[in-house]
Amino acid sequence: AIMGGSMSNAGGIGSSPRVLCLSGHASNKEVSELQAMVLGFEDTHRLELDYLDGPFEVSTTTDPTLKGQLDGPFHAWGDPAGGHHDRDSLQAGVDHLLAHVAKHGPYDGIYGFSNGALIATLATAMVEGDGYKSLEKYKGILPWKFVILACGSCLDNEAFHPGGPSGGPKLSTPSLHLIGAKDSIRWRSDKLKATYEDPDSYL
């Protein structure tokens, strides 16, 4: 249903669904554009795309397939000194996303790759919990209606629940999880998927 475009569009009747694409850790918009092209977001699914990188600049990518192929700068969602799977260090990235959506949204959906998928999930938890003041202009309207999470990451050192380490209800936002069947860290994607109430997945 998500990719089939059955949901109403943020731009109104007859417009293309708007999707905000979040890059991964130590990545950038150019990488996200290549992913969107491979997934057919524009040509096949007729999505209108916007892009957002993390708020922290890093000197190089950690992906060996990208080294020497793309110029920087590259960006991260968490403070590099604090790690990129830590809830506290990622809060700046969540705030960065929500501030962008408050200014440029609403969107129909969010696409996130790797750490971008984790940021989308943390932000979705805040929105569902009505915990972010800068989104008050939406007056109860969700600033996005679904998430597409590719090779999603997860938090370290805690059983991740939307409400925090102590647990809480699962997220009700519709989610599609793109998971690599042979991904060596697939367990991270599976752990992230488990935070959603009724997730769909494609391996």
Side-chain angles (χ1 to χ4, degrees):
I2 290 175
M3 297 301 287
S6 62
M7 298 184 181
S8 60
N9 301 337
I13 296 174
S15 64
S16 297
R18 297 186 70 218
V19 172
L20 176 62
C21 300
L22 309 182
S23 58
H25 173 69
S27 188
N28 60 25
K29 173 184 174 181
E30 190 173 354
V31 178
S32 298
E33 288 174 336
L34 291 172
Q35 293 169 356
M37 181 179 66
V38 171
L39 292 168
F41 280 174
E42 292 180 303
D43 292 341
T44 301
H45 301 291
R46 304 298 181 187
L47 304 180
E48 177 187 335
L49 303 180
D50 191 9
Y51 294 89
L52 184 66
D53 292 326
F56 298 97
E57 187 171 317
V58 295
S59 59
T60 185
T61 178
T62 56
D63 187 341
T65 64
L66 296 178
K67 289 182 177 180
Q69 303 296 316
L70 294 175
D71 296 327
F74 299 98
H75 298 269
W77 291 100
D79 185 342
H84 57 280
H85 296 124
D86 175 77
R87 183 186 291 273
D88 290 338
S89 71
L90 290 173
Q91 187 59 49
V94 173
D95 292 341
H96 178 61
L97 166 59
L98 293 176
H100 178 91
V101 173
K103 183 176 181 179
H104 301 286
Y107 293 93
D108 292 287
I110 290 182
Y111 163 81
F113 178 80
S114 184
N115 243 47
L118 175 55
I119 289 292
T121 297
L122 291 170
T124 297
M126 291 188 71
V127 170
E128 287 195 12
D130 196 26
Y132 203 74
K133 298 296 184 182
S134 73
L135 297 180
E136 287 180 348
K137 74 170 191 174
Y138 294 112
K139 301 185 186 303
I141 300 173
L142 286 178
W144 57 85
K145 303 168 188 172
F146 62 84
V147 292
I148 302 171
L149 308 177
C151 301
S153 188
C154 64
L155 296 174
D156 282 337
N157 303 321
E158 68 174 75
F160 174 53
H161 294 278
S166 61
K170 291 190 175 185
L171 298 175
S172 61
T173 297
S175 63
L176 174 62
H177 302 258
L178 309 180
I179 301 173
K182 297 182 179 181
D183 189 347
S184 62
I185 53 172
R186 173 181 166 179
W187 65 271
R188 286 190 176 276
S189 295
D190 290 333
K191 188 176 177 182
L192 190 71
K193 176 184 172 182
T195 67
Y196 287 85
E197 191 173 273
D198 189 23
D200 288 323
S201 60
Y202 183 83
L203 301 180

